[in-house]
Amino acid sequence: MNKKYLSIAETLFAIIGLTFFSGGFSVGANLGTNPPLPGIIPPIVLSLIRYFVWIVSTLLIGLRWKHSLAVASKDIWLWILTTLILQSYIWSDFSDMTYLGGREIWQMTSFGLYLASRFSLKEQVQLLAITFGIGALTSAFFALAGPSIGQHSWDHPGAWKGIYDYKNTLGSMMVIGSLSYFLLPIQNLKTPIRKKIGLLLKLTGIAISLAIVLLSTSKTSLIVYFLLVGILIFYGKYRWQGKLTVIYLDITVLFLGCFGTVILTNWINILTNLGKDYTMSGRTLMWEVMLMRIEDRPWLGYGRGAFWMKGTKYPIEVGNAVTSSFIAPHGHNGFLDLVLDIGLIGLVLFLISFTIAFFRSLKRAYAVESSPDLWPLAFLLFLAMNNMMESYLLRLANIYWVLYIAVALSVDKGKSVRELNYIKEVDNLKKYQKEKVPI
């Protein structure tokens, strides 16, 4: 097959995969109802898409196994963590369900590694811009032309959810989309006309994404968006190198971003409940119960997804801390949910992997040559901040874990390319020596 057509085919495949893991095929679904409403796309079709993405990405990794292995070796802690997650069925009270749920980890891991090994950071940003540009336009279409599908009804009347399953999901996806447009490179476009068109598309993408975040009424997404844009402007303008104080500044920015997300998301409730029992819409009450349950199984947790499994007592127990009629679907904090899944050992492994990726992203950001070099830092900050109030790490098959794998393995990708070139040179030398006819 012609390389040009093969490249187009892989680009389309990557967009399909990103759309699937972002929940873009969940048109009409609503996780905010009890029980959750299914989408208009039949489950059998979703399963076919799921296995298509999984099988094809695995095959493509296998075809480029040397390069894929070189890229995968960039974060050994990530693979130890992945092994722990996959083995968590052993101590789960619902071992069969946790074991079957491990397929989601395989799917996310395969596709994330494929993205990291096949596409550069610039190409990843472009793919995300295309994917969430399509997601924004189709979400607007369903919200306006089919409000019974694209908007919430009784649970959050008028709030947009678009093609996704919930308003917060739409808001979160549009934050990622807006960041990708914000970092979309246009400076290398050859002609002034192309640069103007590129700038227009970039600004349009940012404006539409931001407008949809507002229409989703997701406060967390809106706060995270403005905090991230401010941080990226800061890093883009100030690029010190080799100063120890910068490290402390960077860590401060990370923690202030996470703290600011919590405070700014709930600032109205904080001001109106001074001196009263302020609980962040019941979140702190839920977290208290979750922390008590973590004490029961601190080291390895309950197994991935087991704590919130349908039929267990824990979702009811956590929900009853807020109101007697509430069954909690998750803990509204990705880090606490991670501990419930795989314990403090799992949290430590994740934090080691995250810290390595974070400092690599800082190194890349301070030596930035083009805007996509800021993408790893932008996403890691987004991931940390967004998981302060929502559960966006290991829950279900999701885009967040896919992109975390892709970013963690791509941020130091330059070295792996050199290693790949070395491997090619060695292979060529061996081939030459084998084919050389002795005189």
Side-chain angles (χ1 to χ4, degrees):
M1 183 183 290
N2 186 289
K3 287 186 178 181
K4 178 181 178 182
Y5 294 116
L6 181 60
S7 178
I8 293 174
E10 288 204 64
T11 298
L12 292 174
F13 168 70
I15 292 172
I16 291 172
L18 288 169
T19 302
F20 170 76
F21 284 109
S22 66
F25 294 114
S26 302
V27 185
N30 190 347
L31 290 182
T33 59
N34 188 21
L37 294 177
I40 61 177
I41 298 179
I44 184 64
V45 176
L46 292 176
S47 294
L48 289 174
I49 297 172
R50 177 192 299 274
Y51 285 100
F52 168 73
V53 172
W54 185 12
I55 293 171
V56 172
S57 58
T58 303
L59 288 174
L60 291 173
I61 289 171
L63 289 174
R64 308 183 182 102
W65 67 271
K66 289 184 179 180
H67 183 42
S68 299
L69 186 61
V71 173
S73 66
K74 297 304 156 191
D75 190 347
I76 188 64
W77 296 101
L78 180 59
W79 302 112
I80 297 174
L81 173 62
T82 301
T83 302
L84 179 67
I85 298 169
L86 291 171
Q87 296 300 312
S88 67
Y89 75 92
I90 296 174
W91 56 86
S92 170
D93 292 336
F94 299 86
S95 57
D96 291 343
M97 296 299 293
T98 302
Y99 180 79
L100 291 174
R103 293 177 297 181
E104 296 172 339
I105 299 298
W106 282 113
Q107 292 155 13
M108 292 187 288
T109 302
S110 296
F111 189 66
L113 176 57
Y114 165 70
L115 289 178
S117 60
R118 171 60 181 84
F119 299 101
S120 66
L121 285 175
K122 175 183 175 182
E123 291 169 332
Q124 290 178 36
V125 170
Q126 291 171 335
L127 286 170
L128 290 170
I130 295 172
T131 300
F132 292 111
I134 296 171
L137 293 176
T138 51
S139 290
F141 171 79
F142 279 104
L144 295 172
S148 61
I149 296 176
Q151 295 184 27
H152 284 275
S153 52
W154 61 270
D155 46 351
H156 300 284
W160 283 24
K161 62 185 182 71
I163 61 174
Y164 303 98
D165 54 32
Y166 198 62
K167 69 182 187 71
N168 290 347
T169 306
L170 173 63
S172 184
M173 294 303 108
M174 290 303 102
V175 172
I176 299 177
S178 187
L179 286 175
S180 66
Y181 278 104
F182 186 79
L183 298 175
L184 200 62
I186 59 172
Q187 62 271 24
N188 293 329
L189 296 177
K190 296 181 179 179
T191 64
I193 295 178
R194 287 186 177 182
K195 287 185 178 180
K196 288 181 180 179
I197 294 174
L199 180 60
L200 179 62
L201 289 174
K202 182 172 182 172
L203 295 176
T204 301
I206 293 173
I208 292 176
S209 299
L210 179 57
I212 295 179
V213 170
L214 291 169
L215 290 166
S216 73
T217 70
S218 175
K219 292 187 293 183
T220 300
S221 297
L222 186 62
I223 296 301
V224 167
Y225 171 81
F226 283 112
L227 285 173
L228 278 174
V229 169
I231 291 171
L232 289 179
I233 292 175
F234 169 81
Y235 279 110
K237 188 174 182 180
Y238 302 102
R239 291 179 288 173
W240 306 287
Q241 296 183 26
K243 295 183 179 180
L244 185 62
T245 53
V246 173
I247 296 177
Y248 296 117
L249 177 64
D250 295 328
I251 295 174
T252 301
V253 168
L254 174 62
F255 281 101
L256 285 179
C258 294
F259 182 71
T261 301
V262 175
I263 298 300
L264 293 176
T265 302
N266 299 276
W267 70 275
I268 294 178
N269 290 333
I270 292 175
L271 293 177
T272 57
N273 286 277
L274 289 175
K276 301 178 183 179
D277 182 21
Y278 173 65
T279 64
M280 295 186 193
S281 302
R283 283 178 170 85
T284 57
L285 298 176
M286 295 171 58
W287 295 344
E288 288 175 5
V289 178
M290 291 162 62
L291 287 170
M292 287 191 294
R293 288 305 179 186
I294 286 173
E295 292 178 358
D296 295 338
R297 299 188 185 183
W299 302 114
L300 293 174
Y302 292 78
R304 179 179 177 266
F307 188 88
W308 303 106
M309 197 85 61
K310 185 178 180 180
T312 67
K313 64 180 181 180
Y314 303 119
I316 299 175
E317 181 182 14
V318 174
N320 283 343
V322 181
T323 176
S324 59
S325 60
F326 179 51
I327 300 176
H330 54 81
H332 284 281
N333 185 290
F335 303 107
L336 288 179
D337 275 347
L338 182 68
V339 179
L340 287 170
D341 279 344
I342 50 177
L344 294 174
I345 293 175
L347 178 63
V348 169
L349 289 172
F350 171 74
L351 291 177
I352 292 173
S353 173
F354 183 90
T355 301
I356 292 171
F358 182 70
F359 280 106
R360 285 175 176 173
S361 70
L362 287 172
K363 181 180 178 181
R364 190 153 194 155
Y366 282 122
V368 61
E369 296 180 359
S370 62
S371 53
D373 288 324
L374 287 170
W375 165 245
L377 179 63
F379 176 75
L380 292 176
L381 287 169
F382 163 79
L383 190 70
M385 292 160 61
N386 218 26
N387 275 281
M388 297 303 296
M389 300 297 290
E390 299 294 341
S391 185
Y392 291 140
L393 280 177
L394 286 179
R395 195 167 67 92
L396 307 175
N398 65 76
I399 191 68
Y400 311 98
W401 196 251
V402 167
L403 292 181
Y404 177 70
I405 292 172
V407 163
L409 299 179
S410 297
V411 66
D412 195 33
K413 195 173 176 180
K415 185 178 178 181
S416 69
V417 172
R418 291 194 298 270
E419 290 174 352
L420 179 63
N421 292 333
Y422 173 76
I423 291 172
K424 288 181 178 179
E425 290 176 4
V426 172
D427 287 346
N428 290 335
L429 179 61
K430 289 180 179 178
K431 183 178 180 181
Y432 170 77
Q433 291 175 340
K434 184 177 180 181
E435 295 176 350
K436 185 178 180 181
V437 179
I439 300 175

